Amino acid sequence: MSLIPSFFSGRRSNVFDPFSLDVWDPLKDFPFSNSSLSASFPRENPAFVSTRVDWKETPEAHVFKADIPGLKKEEVKVEVEDDRVLQISGERSVEKEDKNDEWHRVERSSGKFLRRFRLPENAKMDKVKASMENGVLTVTVPKEEIKKAEVKSIEISG
């Protein structure tokens, strides 16, 4: 997400924004001829890139909202790994083509998507809940209070 607002839509944009938090990938369009080298650098597909997720922290929980229009809840998977990683994945199928159809534009992406987030230590990993409404997936991760270490003064003898 950008720190510079767009003049046209009122929303933030990352176009030519030096302060953008989006990660630039210098190898994005580089063709790898060696398949073992290619396996070392997994590439993102357009569906992955277009799956935007907002993460906000409230006093009670961490809340993730992902726009995934056109998908049913059965086509989306929300998982939590042992090392406090939240993973949201799914697949958008390609629309079936009819030989009589004439396409003028294809802009919607299809394919698999995957987003991963490392959760902070105060996340209650066993209480994660997810819901989906109107193409928006909401994942709520409750927070637990982290107890601060008590400081006990020790009297020095002697």
Side-chain angles (χ1 to χ4, degrees):
M1 177 159 287
S2 164
L3 301 175
I4 299 175
S6 169
F7 294 105
F8 301 110
S9 67
R11 294 200 57 159
R12 297 179 185 266
S13 168
N14 67 351
V15 177
F16 302 110
D17 179 1
F19 301 106
S20 174
L21 297 177
D22 291 336
V23 178
W24 175 65
D25 182 2
L27 303 175
K28 179 180 176 188
D29 296 317
F30 186 77
F32 291 102
S33 58
N34 184 344
S35 61
S36 64
L37 181 61
S38 176
S40 302
F41 297 101
R43 311 305 325 146
E44 299 173 348
N45 66 31
F48 178 92
V49 174
S50 68
T51 305
R52 300 292 186 184
V53 179
D54 295 338
W55 176 1
K56 74 176 177 179
E57 182 175 354
T58 68
E60 299 82 28
H62 295 275
V63 181
F64 297 83
K65 290 195 176 206
D67 288 337
I68 46 177
L71 291 182
K72 299 174 191 151
K73 67 179 184 177
E74 296 81 16
E75 298 171 316
V76 179
K77 197 186 291 187
V78 178
E79 300 172 311
V80 176
E81 297 177 6
D82 289 337
D83 52 351
R84 294 188 336 270
V85 174
L86 172 69
Q87 180 171 301
I88 301 170
S89 62
E91 185 169 3
R92 184 174 289 123
S93 302
V94 178
E95 193 170 318
K96 294 179 183 174
E97 283 190 37
D98 186 354
K99 292 182 181 182
N100 298 327
D101 292 343
E102 181 179 340
W103 290 87
H104 294 278
R105 184 177 301 265
V106 177
E107 293 182 342
R108 296 183 304 144
S109 57
S110 61
K112 294 181 180 182
F113 64 89
L114 170 75
R115 295 297 309 268
R116 295 169 54 95
F117 302 93
R118 175 151 327 267
L119 297 170
E121 289 185 31
N122 66 349
K124 288 184 181 179
M125 303 303 290
D126 57 337
K127 304 287 184 187
V128 176
K129 293 186 179 179
S131 64
M132 198 152 122
E133 186 175 341
N134 297 327
V136 177
L137 173 70
T138 302
V139 180
T140 305
V141 183
K143 293 174 17 180
E144 60 187 354
E145 187 177 322
I146 297 179
K147 295 181 180 180
K148 296 182 180 177
E150 285 187 34
V151 176
K152 182 179 175 184
S153 294
I154 307 297
E155 188 177 323
I156 301 173
S157 61

